[in-house]
Amino acid sequence: MQSILRFVLFVYLLVMPLIALVYGNTNDGILIAVVGVAAILLTRLQDLREFSFLGVVAKMQEKIQEADRIIENLRKISTALARGSLQEIAMSGQLFSGLHTSSKFKVREDIVTALKDMDIPDETVLETQYVWITVYGTMLVSKIIATAAEQSSVPEIQKEVAQLDRNSVYDLPTPDAIDVWGDAKRCDKLTELLKEYRLLLTTGSMSNPDIIPFGTGLNNKWKEA
């Protein structure tokens, strides 16, 4: 009912000034018209405000959505660049001259921190380190085999490691499987290596990267055992 009354009032204020202008005194008609317009503005002011506000909100939402799209694109670009950078850094200095292992892991830490500061999901951050983890995981497996072989022959150890359950992403022994295997060896020298291996495969990080000597190459012969 209230909306109907407001509509009737609106029509009245709009029509009456026109009638006054056509059939009445011009000056009186102008005065009534002015009063009518003023009344319309006053009675519909809230509606006009709401319309204006909604327009501003719509524009703001449009800008926010545009900003969100830009941010999302920047995240994708940053992720792609980070992946490429980590791949190059992982290979540099292992096959050629370049950064030492600890220096490369410091760069890796800075890249990962930057990605997380951009609210990139942890699983995506880990995915960008695929080559990184594969390269250093392979090196650690080789070092683990060499350390365990001090108590046995290399071919025998390689065969044992080749039979362990593997992570489907990196095609490397799972941390749980290699931990159980290492514990059975009762070798204190393996303890640090196994801890570093688990940390690497689950996060891409290492507490002591320098346990991988400068110039260490990739060796996957254990997979053929």
Side-chain angles (χ1 to χ4, degrees):
M1 178 63 70
Q2 184 177 3
S3 59
I4 296 175
L5 291 175
R6 291 173 65 184
F7 176 74
V8 172
L9 177 60
F10 177 81
V11 173
Y12 176 81
L13 293 173
L14 182 64
V15 173
M16 287 306 296
L18 294 177
I19 295 175
L21 285 172
V22 174
Y23 298 102
N25 181 276
T26 302
N27 292 331
D28 294 338
I30 293 174
L31 179 60
I32 295 175
V34 170
V35 172
V37 171
I40 290 174
L41 291 175
L42 290 174
T43 56
R44 308 299 293 183
L45 183 59
Q46 184 61 34
D47 294 337
L48 292 172
R49 285 178 178 173
E50 291 177 358
F51 178 78
S52 176
F53 177 73
L54 290 175
V56 171
V57 170
K59 193 66 176 179
M60 289 176 63
Q61 289 177 340
E62 180 181 346
K63 292 298 181 182
I64 291 173
Q65 290 174 354
E66 182 180 353
D68 286 342
R69 286 193 295 269
I70 293 173
I71 291 173
E72 183 60 29
N73 288 334
L74 288 174
R75 284 175 176 165
K76 291 179 181 178
I77 293 171
S78 299
T79 301
L81 291 175
R83 183 184 297 110
S85 298
L86 290 172
Q87 290 176 8
E88 293 295 326
I89 294 170
M91 300 304 296
S92 172
Q94 303 308 136
L95 303 178
F96 314 101
S97 61
L99 297 172
H100 285 270
T101 309
S102 57
S103 298
K104 291 192 284 186
F105 269 80
K106 177 61 173 67
V107 175
R108 173 255 166 212
E109 181 181 345
D110 292 340
I111 291 174
V112 169
T113 299
L115 292 176
K116 290 184 176 181
D117 286 344
M118 295 179 68
D119 293 328
I120 294 176
D122 290 342
E123 58 270 21
T124 303
V125 173
L126 190 63
E127 192 275 331
T128 64
Q129 303 177 78
Y130 165 74
V131 172
W132 177 271
I133 293 174
T134 302
V135 168
Y136 286 106
T138 300
M139 293 178 187
L140 274 177
V141 169
S142 297
K143 191 167 181 62
I144 288 170
I145 290 173
T147 301
E150 294 177 4
Q151 299 178 347
S152 182
S153 66
V154 172
E156 181 181 343
I157 297 299
Q158 288 178 334
K159 185 176 181 180
E160 291 176 1
V161 173
Q163 293 173 347
L164 296 176
D165 291 337
R166 298 185 191 179
N167 180 292
S168 59
V169 177
Y170 311 113
D171 193 28
L172 294 170
T174 66
D176 289 341
I178 204 166
D179 274 350
V180 172
W181 171 84
D183 288 342
K185 295 295 178 183
R186 300 183 182 278
C187 177
D188 293 337
K189 292 182 179 180
L190 288 176
T191 301
E192 181 183 8
L193 291 173
L194 295 175
K195 288 181 178 179
E196 294 288 5
Y197 183 80
R198 175 178 291 277
L199 183 60
L200 177 72
L201 257 68
T202 54
T203 68
S205 178
M206 289 180 63
S207 298
N208 181 20
D210 287 330
I211 63 174
I212 299 178
F214 176 78
T216 300
L218 297 175
N219 184 354
N220 279 323
K221 288 183 179 180
W222 62 272
K223 291 184 178 180
E224 303 170 1

